[in-house]
Amino acid sequence: MILHGYWRSGTTYRTRIALALKGLSYEQVGHDLRTGEQRSAAFLTLNPQGLVPALETDDGVLTQSPAILEWLEERYPEPPLLPAAPGDRAIVRAMAATIACDIHPLNNMRVLKAVRALGGDADAWAAGWIGDGFAALEAMIARHGAGFAFGDRPTLADCHLVPQVYSAERFGVDLAPYPQLMAATERARALPAVQAAHPDEQPDADR
């Protein structure tokens, strides 16, 4: 497999975590979003949307990180990143979607550029949406977590949560109101696979 991404991209980060938790080997190709490399003709042949990540697989080129993570779970079911019970799986997917649908899209690079172009405070914008989502996740983790975001082992929820906390820290968000969320994050961050997926450990990271 070949993962096309950007070292600091939250969506690429969550994909790296899932790949690492499943013990899968892959190559990486970096595309610097700051210089617009994701809009090159070569990359647009892989992903016409011009976004990262894109994962080259035997099943073709996959895009959109939630779809990639679901494919990984179906194609490589061990170790599982979803619980066995259908209701529990729905809860994990809801936690992941809280980040993938309601938090991350509102603080990614292209949205923040648009906020700045309109004269807005991009950092305050991002922090506000992160705070709203984290408040909901705090309650969900308090209800369903047992060391990790859901239960006692990492799931797709943790794959999404760790990169979003990384982003929150970059924006200077006060994380003190979310003790359950941060405890789950730190538990996940302690895993060697998650440590290997950290942006600073990637070959295209700023040095």
Side-chain angles (χ1 to χ4, degrees), residues 46-115:
L46 290 174
N47 183 2
Q49 198 176 11
L51 299 174
V52 296
L55 184 67
E56 293 189 65
T57 77
D58 290 342
D59 288 341
V61 179
L62 308 178
T63 62
Q64 290 290 346
S65 60
I68 293 172
L69 267 59
E70 289 282 353
W71 177 85
L72 288 170
E73 183 69 358
E74 293 175 4
R75 184 70 174 77
Y76 303 97
E78 295 296 331
L81 294 178
L82 283 169
D88 291 344
R89 294 162 79 91
I91 292 167
V92 169
R93 287 183 169 117
M95 296 170 110
T98 298
I99 294 169
C101 301
D102 298 330
I103 303 176
H104 176 265
L106 293 166
N107 62 82
N108 66 22
M109 183 180 295
R110 59 181 182 160
V111 170
L112 296 182
K113 284 183 178 179
V115 171

Side-chain angles (χ1 to χ4, degrees), residues 140-186:
M140 297 173 79
I141 293 169
R143 186 176 304 164
H144 301 292
F148 291 93
F150 183 97
D152 61 359
R153 64 184 185 187
T155 66
L156 295 182
D158 301 283
C159 295
H160 286 71
L161 180 60
V162 169
Q164 193 59 62
V165 170
Y166 171 81
S167 177
E169 291 168 338
R170 288 183 55 225
F171 287 113
V173 176
D174 179 11
L175 297 173
Y178 318 113
Q180 300 292 329
L181 181 151
M182 288 307 300
T185 299
E186 294 306 329

